[in-house]
Amino acid sequence: MHRREFLIRTATAAGAAWLSSKSILNALAEQALGKKFSASDTVTLGGTGIKTSRLAMGTGTVGVGHHSHQTALGVKGLSDLLLNGYDHGLRFFDAADSYGSHPHVAEALKHVQRDKVTVLTKSWARDPDTMRADLDRFRRELGVDYIDVCLMHCLTEGDWTERYKGVMDVLSEAKQKRIIRAHGCSCHSIEALRAAAKSPWVEVDLARINPIGSHMDADPATVVSVLKEMKAAGKAVVGMKILGQGDLSKRQNEAIKYALSLGILDAFTIGAESKQEQEDLIGRIAAA
């Protein structure tokens, strides 16, 4: 029996009594990874046909009230950071109205080919008229004719697919008109996440996942089981809170290995606050 197999079988059968949780994670990750990953790998988001980079550049670490850690860099500062990522092969811009990051993304988009990047943004709209207005405003703020992915932001209700059907219909119509390329949601409760997994309407889900359950909808095992259901249904699963909103800042390698080892994330988003942080992150993903 190979040592790797011995570690995994022992962890399963004996409850890992003599192995630390970190050792188990590393052993499982090593087996599951099986190949080299890169932040700039080209991935396809579920069944949407959208091709982008494995790593999305988050613009909303603690994003609320049209402000975030990233927007605090200023329009030029965050734009330069996005362009630095672009120069390193990153093609996924993760924005949101609540982060206030549309002007910053718009500035970066002036310097790249529009069809070479994926722009994801999110709306808090909970009624059809507000969503229609948001789609028009978002495109003006971003300086684009279309948005690649538009999500309903921060859903918490277990019955959201019925309660907000009117909003969903607006996004479906927008897709037909090629105003957006794909629609979906970000969830902030396990009930909402389960509803998203069962909804044929959801094409892209932004899900909170990390190995310690920090800022997540439930414990990691429960969330992973729902995400597997999503993946099996052909939905795009994009991970967020990979570093637990900073709680895993001293355990980044562990958190990144965990995300990559799951085999269910099409991509994941992490918000850097400097070029050094961004390039360090890119290096850590390659080293995983």
Side-chain angles (χ1 to χ4, degrees), residues 191-206:
E191 294 79 14
L193 190 68
R194 285 179 172 139
K198 297 184 184 308
S199 171
W201 178 86
V202 174
E203 298 173 313
V204 180
D205 186 88
L206 189 61

mmCIF file with all atom_site columns, all heavy atoms in Angstrom, residues 191-206:
data_model
loop_
_atom_site.group_PDB
_atom_site.id
_atom_site.type_symbol
_atom_site.label_atom_id
_atom_site.label_alt_id
_atom_site.label_comp_id
_atom_site.label_asym_id
_atom_site.label_entity_id
_atom_site.label_seq_id
_atom_site.pdbx_PDB_ins_code
_atom_site.Cartn_x
_atom_site.Cartn_y
_atom_site.Cartn_z
_atom_site.occupancy
_atom_site.B_iso_or_equiv
_atom_site.pdbx_formal_charge
_atom_site.auth_seq_id
_atom_site.auth_comp_id
_atom_site.auth_asym_id
_atom_site.auth_atom_id
_atom_site.pdbx_PDB_model_num
ATOM 1   N N   . GLU A 1 191 ? -30.466 27.856 3.248   1.00 0.00 ? 191 GLU A N   1
ATOM 2   C CA  . GLU A 1 191 ? -31.783 27.667 2.619   1.00 0.00 ? 191 GLU A CA  1
ATOM 3   C C   . GLU A 1 191 ? -31.791 28.255 1.216   1.00 0.00 ? 191 GLU A C   1
ATOM 4   O O   . GLU A 1 191 ? -32.311 27.643 0.275   1.00 0.00 ? 191 GLU A O   1
ATOM 5   C CB  . GLU A 1 191 ? -32.872 28.314 3.484   1.00 0.00 ? 191 GLU A CB  1
ATOM 6   C CG  . GLU A 1 191 ? -33.086 27.669 4.842   1.00 0.00 ? 191 GLU A CG  1
ATOM 7   C CD  . GLU A 1 191 ? -32.062 28.076 5.879   1.00 0.00 ? 191 GLU A CD  1
ATOM 8   O OE1 . GLU A 1 191 ? -31.329 29.070 5.650   1.00 0.00 ? 191 GLU A OE1 1
ATOM 9   O OE2 . GLU A 1 191 ? -31.992 27.404 6.924   1.00 0.00 ? 191 GLU A OE2 1
ATOM 10  N N   . ALA A 1 192 ? -31.234 29.449 1.069   1.00 0.00 ? 192 ALA A N   1
ATOM 11  C CA  . ALA A 1 192 ? -31.169 30.072 -0.254  1.00 0.00 ? 192 ALA A CA  1
ATOM 12  C C   . ALA A 1 192 ? -30.267 29.278 -1.192  1.00 0.00 ? 192 ALA A C   1
ATOM 13  O O   . ALA A 1 192 ? -30.565 29.128 -2.384  1.00 0.00 ? 192 ALA A O   1
ATOM 14  C CB  . ALA A 1 192 ? -30.661 31.506 -0.126  1.00 0.00 ? 192 ALA A CB  1
ATOM 15  N N   . LEU A 1 193 ? -29.168 28.758 -0.656  1.00 0.00 ? 193 LEU A N   1
ATOM 16  C CA  . LEU A 1 193 ? -28.247 27.973 -1.469  1.00 0.00 ? 193 LEU A CA  1
ATOM 17  C C   . LEU A 1 193 ? -28.915 26.698 -1.973  1.00 0.00 ? 193 LEU A C   1
ATOM 18  O O   . LEU A 1 193 ? -28.754 26.319 -3.137  1.00 0.00 ? 193 LEU A O   1
ATOM 19  C CB  . LEU A 1 193 ? -27.002 27.626 -0.646  1.00 0.00 ? 193 LEU A CB  1
ATOM 20  C CG  . LEU A 1 193 ? -25.825 27.018 -1.414  1.00 0.00 ? 193 LEU A CG  1
ATOM 21  C CD1 . LEU A 1 193 ? -25.202 28.043 -2.350  1.00 0.00 ? 193 LEU A CD1 1
ATOM 22  C CD2 . LEU A 1 193 ? -24.769 26.482 -0.447  1.00 0.00 ? 193 LEU A CD2 1
ATOM 23  N N   . ARG A 1 194 ? -29.667 26.048 -1.111  1.00 0.00 ? 194 ARG A N   1
ATOM 24  C CA  . ARG A 1 194 ? -30.381 24.828 -1.523  1.00 0.00 ? 194 ARG A CA  1
ATOM 25  C C   . ARG A 1 194 ? -31.426 25.129 -2.592  1.00 0.00 ? 194 ARG A C   1
ATOM 26  O O   . ARG A 1 194 ? -31.613 24.351 -3.532  1.00 0.00 ? 194 ARG A O   1
ATOM 27  C CB  . ARG A 1 194 ? -31.018 24.175 -0.296  1.00 0.00 ? 194 ARG A CB  1
ATOM 28  C CG  . ARG A 1 194 ? -30.006 23.461 0.589   1.00 0.00 ? 194 ARG A CG  1
ATOM 29  C CD  . ARG A 1 194 ? -30.650 22.838 1.798   1.00 0.00 ? 194 ARG A CD  1
ATOM 30  N NE  . ARG A 1 194 ? -29.698 21.991 2.524   1.00 0.00 ? 194 ARG A NE  1
ATOM 31  C CZ  . ARG A 1 194 ? -29.584 21.938 3.842   1.00 0.00 ? 194 ARG A CZ  1
ATOM 32  N NH1 . ARG A 1 194 ? -30.376 22.688 4.609   1.00 0.00 ? 194 ARG A NH1 1
ATOM 33  N NH2 . ARG A 1 194 ? -28.702 21.141 4.399   1.00 0.00 ? 194 ARG A NH2 1
ATOM 34  N N   . ALA A 1 195 ? -32.103 26.270 -2.447  1.00 0.00 ? 195 ALA A N   1
ATOM 35  C CA  . ALA A 1 195 ? -33.087 26.656 -3.461  1.00 0.00 ? 195 ALA A CA  1
ATOM 36  C C   . ALA A 1 195 ? -32.393 26.919 -4.799  1.00 0.00 ? 195 ALA A C   1
ATOM 37  O O   . ALA A 1 195 ? -32.911 26.557 -5.867  1.00 0.00 ? 195 ALA A O   1
ATOM 38  C CB  . ALA A 1 195 ? -33.850 27.898 -3.000  1.00 0.00 ? 195 ALA A CB  1
ATOM 39  N N   . ALA A 1 196 ? -31.211 27.536 -4.755  1.00 0.00 ? 196 ALA A N   1
ATOM 40  C CA  . ALA A 1 196 ? -30.457 27.800 -5.979  1.00 0.00 ? 196 ALA A CA  1
ATOM 41  C C   . ALA A 1 196 ? -30.047 26.505 -6.666  1.00 0.00 ? 196 ALA A C   1
ATOM 42  O O   . ALA A 1 196 ? -30.077 26.400 -7.898  1.00 0.00 ? 196 ALA A O   1
ATOM 43  C CB  . ALA A 1 196 ? -29.229 28.645 -5.660  1.00 0.00 ? 196 ALA A CB  1
ATOM 44  N N   . ALA A 1 197 ? -29.667 25.511 -5.875  1.00 0.00 ? 197 ALA A N   1
ATOM 45  C CA  . ALA A 1 197 ? -29.240 24.232 -6.444  1.00 0.00 ? 197 ALA A CA  1
ATOM 46  C C   . ALA A 1 197 ? -30.372 23.549 -7.193  1.00 0.00 ? 197 ALA A C   1
ATOM 47  O O   . ALA A 1 197 ? -30.139 22.857 -8.192  1.00 0.00 ? 197 ALA A O   1
ATOM 48  C CB  . ALA A 1 197 ? -28.721 23.320 -5.337  1.00 0.00 ? 197 ALA A CB  1
ATOM 49  N N   . LYS A 1 198 ? -31.593 23.762 -6.731  1.00 0.00 ? 198 LYS A N   1
ATOM 50  C CA  . LYS A 1 198 ? -32.743 23.077 -7.325  1.00 0.00 ? 198 LYS A CA  1
ATOM 51  C C   . LYS A 1 198 ? -33.393 23.881 -8.455  1.00 0.00 ? 198 LYS A C   1
ATOM 52  O O   . LYS A 1 198 ? -34.242 23.353 -9.173  1.00 0.00 ? 198 LYS A O   1
ATOM 53  C CB  . LYS A 1 198 ? -33.782 22.779 -6.242  1.00 0.00 ? 198 LYS A CB  1
ATOM 54  C CG  . LYS A 1 198 ? -33.267 21.830 -5.166  1.00 0.00 ? 198 LYS A CG  1
ATOM 55  C CD  . LYS A 1 198 ? -34.345 21.469 -4.162  1.00 0.00 ? 198 LYS A CD  1
ATOM 56  C CE  . LYS A 1 198 ? -33.780 20.598 -3.040  1.00 0.00 ? 198 LYS A CE  1
ATOM 57  N NZ  . LYS A 1 198 ? -33.051 19.417 -3.545  1.00 0.00 ? 198 LYS A NZ  1
ATOM 58  N N   . SER A 1 199 ? -32.996 25.134 -8.617  1.00 0.00 ? 199 SER A N   1
ATOM 59  C CA  . SER A 1 199 ? -33.638 25.979 -9.621  1.00 0.00 ? 199 SER A CA  1
ATOM 60  C C   . SER A 1 199 ? -32.978 25.856 -10.992 1.00 0.00 ? 199 SER A C   1
ATOM 61  O O   . SER A 1 199 ? -31.786 26.158 -11.134 1.00 0.00 ? 199 SER A O   1
ATOM 62  C CB  . SER A 1 199 ? -33.574 27.443 -9.175  1.00 0.00 ? 199 SER A CB  1
ATOM 63  O OG  . SER A 1 199 ? -34.014 28.294 -10.221 1.00 0.00 ? 199 SER A OG  1
ATOM 64  N N   . PRO A 1 200 ? -33.737 25.465 -12.022 1.00 0.00 ? 200 PRO A N   1
ATOM 65  C CA  . PRO A 1 200 ? -33.175 25.395 -13.377 1.00 0.00 ? 200 PRO A CA  1
ATOM 66  C C   . PRO A 1 200 ? -32.754 26.771 -13.887 1.00 0.00 ? 200 PRO A C   1
ATOM 67  O O   . PRO A 1 200 ? -31.931 26.866 -14.802 1.00 0.00 ? 200 PRO A O   1
ATOM 68  C CB  . PRO A 1 200 ? -34.328 24.830 -14.219 1.00 0.00 ? 200 PRO A CB  1
ATOM 69  C CG  . PRO A 1 200 ? -35.260 24.193 -13.228 1.00 0.00 ? 200 PRO A CG  1
ATOM 70  C CD  . PRO A 1 200 ? -35.135 24.989 -11.975 1.00 0.00 ? 200 PRO A CD  1
ATOM 71  N N   . TRP A 1 201 ? -33.316 27.832 -13.301 1.00 0.00 ? 201 TRP A N   1
ATOM 72  C CA  . TRP A 1 201 ? -33.016 29.203 -13.750 1.00 0.00 ? 201 TRP A CA  1
ATOM 73  C C   . TRP A 1 201 ? -31.582 29.605 -13.425 1.00 0.00 ? 201 TRP A C   1
ATOM 74  O O   . TRP A 1 201 ? -30.963 30.361 -14.165 1.00 0.00 ? 201 TRP A O   1
ATOM 75  C CB  . TRP A 1 201 ? -33.996 30.171 -13.084 1.00 0.00 ? 201 TRP A CB  1
ATOM 76  C CG  . TRP A 1 201 ? -33.765 31.612 -13.434 1.00 0.00 ? 201 TRP A CG  1
ATOM 77  C CD1 . TRP A 1 201 ? -34.248 32.286 -14.527 1.00 0.00 ? 201 TRP A CD1 1
ATOM 78  C CD2 . TRP A 1 201 ? -32.986 32.567 -12.689 1.00 0.00 ? 201 TRP A CD2 1
ATOM 79  N NE1 . TRP A 1 201 ? -33.809 33.604 -14.501 1.00 0.00 ? 201 TRP A NE1 1
ATOM 80  C CE2 . TRP A 1 201 ? -33.040 33.795 -13.382 1.00 0.00 ? 201 TRP A CE2 1
ATOM 81  C CE3 . TRP A 1 201 ? -32.254 32.487 -11.510 1.00 0.00 ? 201 TRP A CE3 1
ATOM 82  C CZ2 . TRP A 1 201 ? -32.394 34.937 -12.923 1.00 0.00 ? 201 TRP A CZ2 1
ATOM 83  C CZ3 . TRP A 1 201 ? -31.598 33.619 -11.054 1.00 0.00 ? 201 TRP A CZ3 1
ATOM 84  C CH2 . TRP A 1 201 ? -31.676 34.832 -11.760 1.00 0.00 ? 201 TRP A CH2 1
ATOM 85  N N   . VAL A 1 202 ? -31.048 29.106 -12.337 1.00 0.00 ? 202 VAL A N   1
ATOM 86  C CA  . VAL A 1 202 ? -29.702 29.503 -11.896 1.00 0.00 ? 202 VAL A CA  1
ATOM 87  C C   . VAL A 1 202 ? -28.653 28.887 -12.813 1.00 0.00 ? 202 VAL A C   1
ATOM 88  O O   . VAL A 1 202 ? -28.526 27.673 -12.915 1.00 0.00 ? 202 VAL A O   1
ATOM 89  C CB  . VAL A 1 202 ? -29.439 29.090 -10.431 1.00 0.00 ? 202 VAL A CB  1
ATOM 90  C CG1 . VAL A 1 202 ? -27.990 29.377 -10.042 1.00 0.00 ? 202 VAL A CG1 1
ATOM 91  C CG2 . VAL A 1 202 ? -30.388 29.810 -9.488  1.00 0.00 ? 202 VAL A CG2 1
ATOM 92  N N   . GLU A 1 203 ? -27.891 29.755 -13.467 1.00 0.00 ? 203 GLU A N   1
ATOM 93  C CA  . GLU A 1 203 ? -26.808 29.304 -14.344 1.00 0.00 ? 203 GLU A CA  1
ATOM 94  C C   . GLU A 1 203 ? -25.443 29.457 -13.677 1.00 0.00 ? 203 GLU A C   1
ATOM 95  O O   . GLU A 1 203 ? -24.526 28.691 -13.962 1.00 0.00 ? 203 GLU A O   1
ATOM 96  C CB  . GLU A 1 203 ? -26.821 30.111 -15.644 1.00 0.00 ? 203 GLU A CB  1
ATOM 97  C CG  . GLU A 1 203 ? -28.101 29.944 -16.448 1.00 0.00 ? 203 GLU A CG  1
ATOM 98  C CD  . GLU A 1 203 ? -28.163 30.871 -17.640 1.00 0.00 ? 203 GLU A CD  1
ATOM 99  O OE1 . GLU A 1 203 ? -27.879 32.081 -17.477 1.00 0.00 ? 203 GLU A OE1 1
ATOM 100 O OE2 . GLU A 1 203 ? -28.500 30.393 -18.743 1.00 0.00 ? 203 GLU A OE2 1
ATOM 101 N N   . VAL A 1 204 ? -25.331 30.464 -12.818 1.00 0.00 ? 204 VAL A N   1
ATOM 102 C CA  . VAL A 1 204 ? -24.077 30.742 -12.119 1.00 0.00 ? 204 VAL A CA  1
ATOM 103 C C   . VAL A 1 204 ? -24.387 30.993 -10.648 1.00 0.00 ? 204 VAL A C   1
ATOM 104 O O   . VAL A 1 204 ? -25.289 31.780 -10.330 1.00 0.00 ? 204 VAL A O   1
ATOM 105 C CB  . VAL A 1 204 ? -23.359 31.986 -12.699 1.00 0.00 ? 204 VAL A CB  1
ATOM 106 C CG1 . VAL A 1 204 ? -22.055 32.241 -11.949 1.00 0.00 ? 204 VAL A CG1 1
ATOM 107 C CG2 . VAL A 1 204 ? -23.106 31.833 -14.193 1.00 0.00 ? 204 VAL A CG2 1
ATOM 108 N N   . ASP A 1 205 ? -23.664 30.324 -9.767  1.00 0.00 ? 205 ASP A N   1
ATOM 109 C CA  . ASP A 1 205 ? -23.832 30.561 -8.338  1.00 0.00 ? 205 ASP A CA  1
ATOM 110 C C   . ASP A 1 205 ? -22.498 30.968 -7.729  1.00 0.00 ? 205 ASP A C   1
ATOM 111 O O   . ASP A 1 205 ? -21.475 30.318 -7.953  1.00 0.00 ? 205 ASP A O   1
ATOM 112 C CB  . ASP A 1 205 ? -24.357 29.320 -7.621  1.00 0.00 ? 205 ASP A CB  1
ATOM 113 C CG  . ASP A 1 205 ? -24.666 29.619 -6.158  1.00 0.00 ? 205 ASP A CG  1
ATOM 114 O OD1 . ASP A 1 205 ? -25.795 30.052 -5.866  1.00 0.00 ? 205 ASP A OD1 1
ATOM 115 O OD2 . ASP A 1 205 ? -23.770 29.440 -5.305  1.00 0.00 ? 205 ASP A OD2 1
ATOM 116 N N   . LEU A 1 206 ? -22.528 32.054 -6.974  1.00 0.00 ? 206 LEU A N   1
ATOM 117 C CA  . LEU A 1 206 ? -21.357 32.523 -6.249  1.00 0.00 ? 206 LEU A CA  1
ATOM 118 C C   . LEU A 1 206 ? -21.509 32.035 -4.814  1.00 0.00 ? 206 LEU A C   1
ATOM 119 O O   . LEU A 1 206 ? -22.405 32.481 -4.091  1.00 0.00 ? 206 LEU A O   1
ATOM 120 C CB  . LEU A 1 206 ? -21.280 34.045 -6.317  1.00 0.00 ? 206 LEU A CB  1
ATOM 121 C CG  . LEU A 1 206 ? -20.026 34.735 -5.795  1.00 0.00 ? 206 LEU A CG  1
ATOM 122 C CD1 . LEU A 1 206 ? -18.794 34.292 -6.568  1.00 0.00 ? 206 LEU A CD1 1
ATOM 123 C CD2 . LEU A 1 206 ? -20.184 36.250 -5.881  1.00 0.00 ? 206 LEU A CD2 1
#
